[in-house]
């Protein structure tokens, strides 16, 4: 049985969407368990959700005692359900907070396959959903506990349903209520997760279709009356509650303090030129990069095909919106990647031309080599000899994925190239995210600090007095792991914590004021260990010392025989 006939068999009915969801599951699941809590957005979202569970306040979003008025509440509610079902807020297990992201990635892949099957054909739909589920961008967002994978899932569900509605009107067929419901529930939950992004993606696509087709009458069959009621029922209750609870402050901060600055300039230094997302797309769509030029060529050469036309109307306005937005992050264009996957899948319905085959092959090899180089650089810069095995596996799979795809597509085996490169690319992604990267200890200071506190029985969850005082290092991942009450303070505050019998973590640049404050209190620092590494959020090298809060000793009694000097840790620094 040929691969094409197997695909025909696998794509029948719900098999195609389920296969695509399985691809997304395999690509994202290992990283969900293996990766430590990440800075900064993931840990901020997870900590805010944890505080909801601790306080029972599911309306007002807070990070410690500060309001977090940037995004709607949807992702926090989804995370809260996942944590209450599979874990507990006190356990601080980040994998539980990531479950909605993994499910969002699976939903995106399945919905892409479902929608593409109606406008193209079931086999092409299966390929499109599998492409989306395997992309490095979506499979990475699948294990990060924030909004983007869930937003992609709900937005792609709405677009998949819209694709089926569009296909039905072209054939003069009636549309089922479940399809319309999928459209509106996807749109509604997307709005509750990230405000206008999902809405803009859908309505820009509708506007583009209306302009291209020069007709919009079919859109009246979307079920606007009950659909808008459903939208209001999902979105308005929390919108009203947060307005009352914050006296309208949420909207002022969310719009004036978050959305408007992103539209006016590069917020928090995340600026980029026009073409930023296009430049990164070969890497972020890997291992399907081999078909990227062919997909873009199909967007023009087969633009009269309804499925291609729909994908173009989905892709181009949304992509332009994010290219024009001054603030740029790699994941912003993720809601448009379903359309890109549709175009790449549509390209394999006919033999590929020589130019797109060689261009796609060249990009595929280049991206595979780049990922291999990233793995080697990471091990060399932050790893040890013990990490060499994972480095070779990750680099080998990445380069093999790029090369195998290029060789097969050059020999006119486009479908086989896609699936071989896809399997090897997923293996490379797993080796990177579940094997190599978590072992690069200097990159995960917060994890190492939490483990060191546990080993020394100084963590509040180990029964030690708390909260832990931290000065000079304020990454959200440490707060998530040590608990909501973790005290971010200065050198004097850290010294006061020691005097109260609580442990303190002091960054190297805060050592002098900390020791001065300790001297004023008549106390001697008692270091337990130090942790060294790179704070990848700001690029600074950090040296963090953990000090024991008890027993306390006067300065003159601190240097007992056989006891280390105050400025020397009792253990070797951790890397």
């Amino acid at each position: 049985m040929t691969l094409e006939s197997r695909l025909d068999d696998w794509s029948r009915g719900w098999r195609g969407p389920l296969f695509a969801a399985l691809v997304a599951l395999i690509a994202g699941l290992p990283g969900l368990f293996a990766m430590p809590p990440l800075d900064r957005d993931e840990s901020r979202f997870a900590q805010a959700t944890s505080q909801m569970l601790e306080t029972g306040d599911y309306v007002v979003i807070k990070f410690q005692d500060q309001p977090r008025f940037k995004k709607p509440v949807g992702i926090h509610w989804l995370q809260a359900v996942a944590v209450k079902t599979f874990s507990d807020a006190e356990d601080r297990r980040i994998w539980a907070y990531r479950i909605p992201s993994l499910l969002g990635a699976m939903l995106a892949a399945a919905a892409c396959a479902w929608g593409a099957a109606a406008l193209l054909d079931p086999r092409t739909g299966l390929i499109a959903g599998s492409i989306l589920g395997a992309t490095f961008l979506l499979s990475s967002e699948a294990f990060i506990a924030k909004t983007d994978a869930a937003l992609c899932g709900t937005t792609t569900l709405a677009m998949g349903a819209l694709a089926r509605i569009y296909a039905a009107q072209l054939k003069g067929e009636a549309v089922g209520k479940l399809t319309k419901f999928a459209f509106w529930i996807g749109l509604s939950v997307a709005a509750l997760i990230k405000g206008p992004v999902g809405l803009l993606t859908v309505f820009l696509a509708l506007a583009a279709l209306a302009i291209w087709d020069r007709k919009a009458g079919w859109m009246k069959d979307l079920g606007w009356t009950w659909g808008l009621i459903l939208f209001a029922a999902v979105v308005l209750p929390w919108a009203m509650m947060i307005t009352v609870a914050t006296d309208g402050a949420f909207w002022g901060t969310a719009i004036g303090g978050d959305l408007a600055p992103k539209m006016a300039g590069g917020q928090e230094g995340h600026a980029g030129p026009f073409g930023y997302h296009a430049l990164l797309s070969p890497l972020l769509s890997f291992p399907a990069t081999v078909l990227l030029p062919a997909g873009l060529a199909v967007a023009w050469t087969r633009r009269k095909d309804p499925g291609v036309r729909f994908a173009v109307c989905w892709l181009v306005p949304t992509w332009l919106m994010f290219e024009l937005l001054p603030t740029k992050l790699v994941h912003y264009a993720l809601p448009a990647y379903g359309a890109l996957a549709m175009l790449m899948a549509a390209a394999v319905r006919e033999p590929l031309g020589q130019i797109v085959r060689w261009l796609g092959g060249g990009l595929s090899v280049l991206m595979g080599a780049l990922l291999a180089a990233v793995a080697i650089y990471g091990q060399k810069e932050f790893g040890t000899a013990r990490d060499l095995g994972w480095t070779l596996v990750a680099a080998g799979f990445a380069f093999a994925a790029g090369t195998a795809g290029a060789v097969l597509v050059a020999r006119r085996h486009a479908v086989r190239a896609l699936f071989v490169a896809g399997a090897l690319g997923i293996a490379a992604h797993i080796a990177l995210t579940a094997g190599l990267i978590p072992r690069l200890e200097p990159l995960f200071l917060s994890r190492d600090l939490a483990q060191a506190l546990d080993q020394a029985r100084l963590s509040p969850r180990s029964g030690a007095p708390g909260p832990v005082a931290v000065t000079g290092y304020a990454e959200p991942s440490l707060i998530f792991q040590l608990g909501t009450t973790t005290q971010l303070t200065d050198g004097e505050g850290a010294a006061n914590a020691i005097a109260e019998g609580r442990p303190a973590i002091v960054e190297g640049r805060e050592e002098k004021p900390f020791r001065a404050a300790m001297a004023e209190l008549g106390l001697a620092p008692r270091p337990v260990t130090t942790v060294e590494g790179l704070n990848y959020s700001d690029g600074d090298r950090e040296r963090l010392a953990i000090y024991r809060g008890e027993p306390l000793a006067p300065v003159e009694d601190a240097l007992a025989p056989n006891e280390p000097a105050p400025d020397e840790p009792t253990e070797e620094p951790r890397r």
Side-chain angles (χ1 to χ4, degrees):
M1 183 180 290
T2 65
L3 177 59
E4 285 75 9
S5 59
R6 288 181 184 274
L7 289 176
D8 288 335
D9 185 49
W10 293 342
S11 63
R12 293 175 185 170
W14 281 100
R15 293 181 185 180
L18 288 175
F19 184 91
L22 179 63
V23 170
L25 174 65
I26 294 171
L29 184 62
L32 179 141
F33 289 106
M35 289 291 285
L38 301 174
D39 285 310
R40 290 177 170 137
D41 278 352
E42 175 179 57
S43 293
R44 285 170 176 161
F45 278 105
Q47 174 59 31
T49 300
S50 180
Q51 289 183 218
M52 284 186 172
L53 293 166
E54 291 169 349
T55 63
D57 183 353
Y58 293 91
V59 175
V60 180
I61 307 165
K62 287 187 176 182
F63 181 86
Q64 289 194 301
D65 60 349
Q66 297 298 313
R68 183 166 166 77
F69 296 162
K70 291 191 173 186
K71 304 290 188 297
V73 78
I75 192 63
H76 297 290
W77 285 355
L78 294 173
Q79 289 178 354
V81 170
V83 173
K84 288 183 73 70
T85 303
F86 298 103
S87 182
D88 191 89
E90 295 179 356
D91 294 337
R92 301 285 163 161
R93 295 174 181 168
I94 190 63
W95 62 264
Y97 296 81
R98 292 168 170 168
I99 290 174
S101 295
L102 180 63
L103 294 177
M106 295 170 64
L107 175 61
C112 182
W114 179 56
L119 279 170
L120 299 167
D121 58 68
R123 187 179 75 176
T124 307
L126 181 149
I127 293 173
S130 300
I131 287 173
L132 180 59
T135 58
F136 260 59
L137 179 56
L138 183 59
S139 55
S140 295
E141 291 295 336
F143 64 77
I144 302 178
K146 54 191 184 74
T147 57
D148 298 287
L151 173 70
C152 182
T154 52
T155 303
T156 307
L157 175 62
M159 290 303 301
L162 186 62
R164 299 191 76 87
I165 295 169
Y166 184 63
Q169 70 87 22
L170 290 174
K171 299 174 185 176
E173 299 174 353
V175 180
K177 290 184 178 179
L178 283 178
T179 302
K180 295 180 182 180
F181 177 80
F183 171 77
W184 284 105
I185 198 66
L187 202 61
S188 303
V189 178
L192 199 60
I193 289 173
K194 206 169 182 177
V197 177
L199 297 174
L200 286 170
T201 300
V202 171
F203 286 107
L204 285 173
L206 284 171
L209 283 169
I211 293 170
W212 193 324
D213 292 341
R214 297 181 181 178
K215 61 178 181 179
W218 63 274
M219 297 179 191
K220 70 179 184 299
D221 295 328
L222 290 174
W224 290 94
T225 302
W226 63 265
L228 290 173
I229 293 172
L230 175 62
F231 184 90
V234 172
V235 175
L236 284 184
W238 176 78
M240 295 171 65
M241 287 188 289
I242 193 65
T243 301
V244 173
T246 65
D247 196 23
F250 174 86
W251 303 107
T253 304
I255 297 172
D258 186 55
L259 181 61
K262 288 179 180 177
M263 299 177 68
Q267 189 186 39
E268 298 178 353
H270 299 305
F274 186 88
Y276 171 93
H277 295 291
L279 183 65
L280 289 176
S281 61
L283 178 63
L284 300 180
S285 61
F286 191 84
T289 311
V290 69
L291 289 180
L292 183 59
L296 297 178
V298 160
W300 175 255
T301 59
R302 289 170 48 195
R303 60 191 180 277
K304 293 183 179 180
D305 184 309
V308 172
R309 182 165 68 246
F310 180 89
V312 170
C313 290
W314 174 3
L315 175 67
V316 173
T318 301
W319 200 278
L320 284 175
M321 174 179 69
F322 289 117
E323 291 286 17
L324 291 169
L325 191 69
T327 301
K328 290 182 173 66
L329 289 170
V330 294
H331 55 263
Y332 277 6
L334 185 55
Y337 268 74
L340 197 59
M342 283 181 64
L343 292 173
M344 288 190 280
V348 303
R349 300 175 80 188
E350 298 176 1
L352 303 183
Q354 183 177 0
I355 294 176
V356 295
R357 283 190 289 113
W358 285 99
L359 185 56
L363 282 174
S364 181
V365 172
L366 181 61
M367 294 304 108
L370 177 61
L371 288 167
V374 167
I376 294 169
Y377 171 81
Q379 189 275 334
K380 182 179 179 181
E381 188 73 14
F382 306 110
T384 65
R386 292 174 296 178
D387 308 323
L388 187 58
W390 279 114
T391 304
L392 294 175
V393 170
F397 275 130
F399 189 70
T403 304
V407 170
L408 288 170
V409 82
R411 295 179 177 178
R412 302 181 185 274
H413 300 302
V415 176
R416 188 170 300 173
L418 182 63
F419 276 84
V420 171
L424 292 170
I426 290 173
H429 186 266
I430 292 172
L432 278 170
T433 59
L436 178 60
I437 295 176
R439 296 173 65 90
L440 304 180
E441 289 192 8
L443 295 178
F444 300 105
L445 289 164
S446 296
R447 177 191 63 182
D448 292 346
L449 287 167
Q451 290 177 350
L453 285 165
D454 285 341
Q455 290 169 4
R457 302 194 66 80
L458 294 177
S459 171
R461 60 189 176 193
S462 303
V468 178
V470 186
T471 178
Y473 182 77
E475 293 304 324
S477 57
L478 185 62
I479 297 168
F480 172 74
Q481 292 182 87
L482 297 185
T484 302
T485 58
T486 300
Q487 180 188 3
L488 301 180
T489 184
D490 55 13
E492 183 179 351
N496 290 331
I498 297 293
E500 295 169 6
R502 296 186 284 118
I505 299 172
V506 181
E507 201 275 327
R509 285 162 290 190
E510 294 292 325
E511 278 286 342
K512 286 186 178 180
F514 167 70
R515 287 180 177 273
M518 290 287 286
E520 289 182 7
L521 293 171
L523 302 173
R526 291 183 175 272
V528 176
T529 187
T530 60
V531 174
E532 295 181 353
L534 175 71
N535 184 345
Y536 56 79
S537 295
D538 56 20
D540 291 338
R541 291 276 178 177
E542 309 274 9
R543 179 183 174 90
L544 297 140
I546 299 175
Y547 291 93
R548 189 182 299 276
E550 56 181 359
L552 302 177
V555 173
E556 58 269 20
D557 297 334
L559 293 179
N562 301 321
E563 192 170 68
D567 59 346
E568 294 180 357
T570 58
E571 298 180 14
E572 289 295 320
R574 292 167 172 247
R575 289 185 69 249

